[in-house]
Amino acid sequence: MEFNFSRNYFELFGLEAQYHLDRTILAERYQKLQSQYHPDRFVEGADQDKRVAMQATTFINEAHKTLQDESSRARYLLELQGVQFNSEKDTTEDMDFLMAQMSLREQIDEVGEEQDPLESLDELMRTSQQEKSRLGEKYQTHFNAQEWDEAKEIVLKLQFFKRLQQQINQKQEALEEQFL
């Protein structure tokens, strides 16, 4: 069995390397590759084939996870262009953005005091999605213009929104448990 590990994630799924992609097509191609290389298909095969199937499946899963998420996909596109990230040091220095993030996090923390906390969380999620979409459009513009520093700054901001949305989901789950 052969598998080409030198392909980038877009090549693996036969997609154009771009920020906007059709997630339905990604899901279909992911399922096809998973069925083609799933280790269960090689249970009776040679040890080498079993090992390659496991490695291929891991590679396919990581590629899918990366391309499925907007901020991860944006970051990966920049990495393909040679832009480097340092997870420990890289953060946005846009103080207005950081203050707005702090305000949103405070709103999430205080949502339990509101008359309809779940509706308030839904509104925060909608606002977050809208801002994330706006940033995605700005990212695409900077990426197309090969303005790597500006595009990287937006990736850092997108990561804040990813964490913010995770926090909203966690708060929503906690409130739903509380009401049950």
Side-chain angles (χ1 to χ4, degrees), residues 15 18-29 73:
L15 299 169
Q18 61 185 16
Y19 178 71
H20 296 289
L21 57 80
D22 186 329
R23 292 174 70 160
T24 303
I25 293 173
L26 175 63
E28 290 169 357
R29 293 182 181 171
R73 182 171 57 246

Side-chain angles (χ1 to χ4, degrees), residues 118 121-122 167-177:
L118 293 175
L121 284 174
D122 286 344
Q167 186 179 357
I168 291 170
N169 287 332
Q170 289 170 348
K171 185 71 167 187
Q172 187 172 19
E173 288 171 9
L175 286 171
E176 288 171 351
E177 279 185 28

